[in-house]
Amino acid sequence: MENAVLSAFANLSENVEKNMPAEFIKLYEENPEKKKISEVVEVLRNDGVIIYPTDTVYGLGCDIFNHKAIERIRQIKGIKGKHLNLSFICYDLSHISEYTRHLDTPTFKLMKKALPGPYTFILESSTKVPKILNVKKKTVGIRISDNNIPREIVKELGNPIITTSIHDDSINDHATDPELIFDDFKNLVDVVIDGGFGQIHASTIVDCTGDEPEIVREGMGDINIIG
């Protein structure tokens, strides 16, 4: 079966293909090996792009302050500037105030109740975000994944990482099986982390920029927690 995940990238892979295949690193969510986490962080600090597990689907990401790596993700996903809707994975809520503004008390309480968890919260971005993404963005998506692997990566890196799911609309084995993901992306990224099989559903997206929270995509996670 033709891989539905990469079919949308077929015309772009020639431009972003690397000379060396990615490293395939096994990590366990319960206790990610610190030495391997450090190896991944070193890759991120050197323009690297990684694929990693979350509490939902596998993500494609890089250091939010590395413009060269962000551009690579843009090319891999075929995203033009004005359509750049990338989210940040943070370690905890302390990160959020740097990248958002007007975070009122009800929204903070909601996020504190829901996170870590399979939710993406859309918030008004601070002036820092457009400088990071090199495009005018009034909002930013914030995630705190309930998976120790990306959280430990972010903790050691010292700042959030960009996250976007590796798939577009369809999910099959090539989006959930880390070995098949590696086969598909090994010439496009620097590291593929095997954290076990991924989920088949993405995060629930909650828009918190209006008067009341609004669910704009129902994915994993109990939507009743938003009400």
Side-chain angles (χ1 to χ4, degrees):
M1 179 185 295
E2 182 181 359
N3 180 6
V5 178
L6 281 184
S7 60
F9 308 151
N11 295 328
L12 295 160
S13 55
E14 184 177 345
N15 296 327
V16 296
E17 188 166 310
K18 297 163 55 266
N19 293 326
M20 297 291 291
E23 187 176 359
F24 192 58
I25 296 178
K26 176 68 178 179
L27 284 170
Y28 296 94
E29 179 186 351
E30 297 79 11
N31 187 24
E33 188 178 332
K34 186 169 178 57
K35 182 180 178 181
K36 291 181 179 180
I37 292 290
S38 296
E39 290 176 10
V40 173
V41 169
E42 188 64 23
V43 168
L44 290 171
R45 288 175 175 158
N46 287 278
D47 306 330
V49 173
I50 67 172
I51 290 175
Y52 52 91
T54 71
D55 51 353
T56 57
V57 298
Y58 266 80
L60 175 72
C62 67
D63 184 339
I64 63 169
F65 294 116
N66 194 304
H67 293 292
K68 184 182 291 187
I70 292 173
E71 183 58 33
R72 284 178 60 194
I73 289 178
R74 225 193 269 260
Q75 292 178 6
I76 292 169
K77 293 277 293 194
I79 303 171
K80 296 190 181 297
K82 64 180 181 180
H83 301 298
L84 189 67
N85 294 315
L86 302 175
S87 297
F88 297 172
I89 283 193
C90 300
Y91 177 72
D92 57 25
L93 290 171
S94 65
H95 266 147
I96 293 174
S97 61
E98 293 185 54
Y99 309 103
T100 64
R101 61 192 184 97
H102 303 314
L103 187 62
D104 57 33
T105 300
T107 300
F108 181 80
K109 287 183 176 179
L110 172 61
M111 295 179 72
K112 189 174 182 180
K113 181 170 62 172
L115 299 174
Y119 304 90
T120 299
F121 287 91
I122 306 300
L123 305 166
E124 290 187 45
S125 61
S126 70
T127 56
K128 203 171 186 178
V129 172
K131 294 176 184 177
I132 291 169
L133 299 180
N134 275 336
V135 64
K136 292 182 179 179
K137 296 299 292 185
K138 294 182 178 179
T139 62
V140 63
I142 297 294
R143 285 215 63 200
I144 301 175
S145 175
D146 191 15
N147 184 308
N148 288 328
I149 294 171
R151 291 189 73 205
E152 288 301 314
I153 291 171
V154 168
K155 184 178 181 181
E156 179 155 339
L157 181 64
N159 56 257
I161 55 176
I162 290 287
T163 184
T164 180
S165 60
I166 63 168
H167 70 90
D168 287 328
D169 296 321
S170 60
I171 299 181
N172 57 21
D173 289 345
H174 285 260
T176 59
D177 184 331
E179 292 188 0
L180 294 179
I181 292 170
F182 177 75
D183 287 341
D184 291 335
F185 286 89
K186 63 185 177 184
N187 293 318
L188 299 174
V189 302
D190 301 286
V191 169
V192 175
I193 297 174
D194 175 2
F197 278 87
Q199 301 293 333
I200 62 171
H201 298 294
S203 63
T204 291
I205 299 178
V206 185
D207 187 342
C208 294
T209 61
D211 294 333
E212 296 290 337
E214 178 185 357
I215 296 174
V216 295
R217 183 183 73 190
E218 185 175 345
M220 289 187 64
D222 182 6
I223 61 172
N224 294 318
I225 202 173
I226 308 303

